[in-house]
């Protein structure tokens, strides 16, 4: 029974999922978001098959818990949300602040790219 492992698709949806967690109040800053990401299937797969998730062997040796890689993913997702006015992201403190537009996008499952088109 040779089956291929199921890989995580969370990275492609991370901005929208992060927005939902911010709106719920589960995640309020980058530290909490990095911790939240550690409970996902994506994290499990990054540890098991790092090459598929752009994690080098050197990264694994230096950071066995992949905290920096998770921080990079969160920063990128938060920057996308901030650019689209779904959250306010203070890069210095790492604090997230919900916006009305972000709340609407979360409640009605509107993708951040659709909000971007609306903003233009």
């Amino acid at each position: 029974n040779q089956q291929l492992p199921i890989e995580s698709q969370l990275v492609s949806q991370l901005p929208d999922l992060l927005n939902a967690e911010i709106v719920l109040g589960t995640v309020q800053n980058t530290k909490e978001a990095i911790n939240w990401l550690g409970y996902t299937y994506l994290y499990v797969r990054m540890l098991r098959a790092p090459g598929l998730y752009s994690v080098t062997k050197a990264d694994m040796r230096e950071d066995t818990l992949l905290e920096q890689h998770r921080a990079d993913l969160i920063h990128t997702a938060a920057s996308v949300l901030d650019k689209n006015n779904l959250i306010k992201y203070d890069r210095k403190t790492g604090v997230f602040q919900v916006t009305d537009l972000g709340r609407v996008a979360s409640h009605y499952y509107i993708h951040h790219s659709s909000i971007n088109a609306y903003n233009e």
Side-chain angles (χ1 to χ4, degrees), residues 28-99:
Q28 297 178 356
N29 56 52
T30 53
K31 185 177 179 181
E32 291 177 0
I34 292 165
N35 188 46
W36 165 75
L37 203 53
Y39 289 97
T40 64
Y41 183 64
L42 169 64
Y43 179 62
V44 171
R45 291 307 302 153
M46 284 193 307
L47 292 173
R48 296 259 173 113
L52 295 174
Y53 299 94
S54 304
V55 179
T56 65
K57 290 181 182 182
D59 291 340
M60 286 296 293
R61 277 193 304 272
E62 294 170 17
D63 184 15
T64 56
L65 298 178
L66 298 176
E67 287 189 54
Q68 186 57 52
H69 190 70
R70 287 185 283 156
D72 293 343
L73 289 172
I74 293 298
H75 173 72
T76 301
S79 295
V80 167
L81 293 172
D82 186 47
K83 178 183 168 208
N84 291 301
N85 300 314
L86 295 172
I87 66 168
K88 290 182 181 175
Y89 172 39
D90 185 336
R91 286 163 178 77
K92 289 181 182 176
T93 63
V95 172
F96 305 135
Q97 185 177 355
V98 181
T99 65

Side-chain angles (χ1 to χ4, degrees), residues 11-27:
V11 172
S12 63
Q13 302 299 320
L14 188 56
D16 297 310
L17 295 172
L18 180 59
N19 184 50
E21 295 298 326
I22 293 168
V23 168
L24 283 172
T26 309
V27 169

